[in-house]
Amino acid sequence: MAKVLVVDDEPNIVLSIEFLMEQAGFEVTSAADGEQALEQVATHTPDVVLLDISLPGISGFDVLEALRTRPATALLPVIMLTAHGREVEREKGFALGANAYITKPFSTQTLVDQVQAVLAEKTL
């Protein structure tokens, strides 16, 4: 069973994404800020990270950059899942190494499809 790490500081969003991912057959853990996210990645080794940009402390962009600079997590699939939908933010996310970029509000099916797609790419 693939493991998904949900990183968002909005408890209601985390709960809804956890439910959605569990229904789709994934094991889910969560983190409420960037520091927790980096700790979770180190201890639970997720298969994919759903990462918000607006987090207390370390931003999602900084978390992504940290993941990409570490050999153990350089290829870890990361999907930016954020309300920040401006083109400049999308470009920054992809420039830092995001595998996908989904803006809130999002379709639940789009999110599940995107997680499955990045996991399929990872296994190629």
Side-chain angles (χ1 to χ4, degrees):
M1 178 183 302
K3 294 185 277 188
V4 176
L5 172 61
V6 179
V7 185
D8 201 303
D9 62 333
E10 294 287 333
N12 291 339
I13 292 173
V14 172
L15 283 173
S16 62
I17 295 172
E18 281 179 340
F19 178 79
L20 175 66
M21 291 292 111
E22 287 169 356
Q23 292 298 305
F26 298 105
E27 183 182 318
V28 184
T29 55
S30 64
D33 62 42
E35 298 242 353
Q36 280 184 1
L38 294 172
E39 289 169 16
Q40 288 277 7
V41 167
T43 59
H44 291 89
T45 321
D47 295 298
V48 63
V49 177
L50 302 179
L51 182 61
D52 190 12
I53 292 172
S54 298
L55 298 169
I58 305 171
S59 78
F61 286 137
D62 291 338
V63 170
L64 177 58
E65 195 168 19
L67 293 173
R68 292 297 177 247
T69 60
R70 298 175 181 171
T73 57
L75 299 176
L76 175 65
V78 176
I79 298 172
M80 303 305 288
L81 185 61
T82 181
H84 297 273
R86 295 193 335 243
E87 191 59 31
V88 66
E89 292 153 337
R90 292 178 67 87
E91 288 174 7
K92 182 174 181 179
F94 284 120
L96 290 173
N99 297 77
Y101 196 105
I102 299 174
T103 54
K104 299 174 189 172
F106 55 87
S107 146
T108 55
Q109 191 59 53
T110 297
L111 181 58
V112 171
D113 290 348
Q114 197 66 67
V115 169
Q116 291 170 334
V118 297
L119 288 172
E121 288 172 16
K122 181 180 173 184
T123 59
L124 292 178

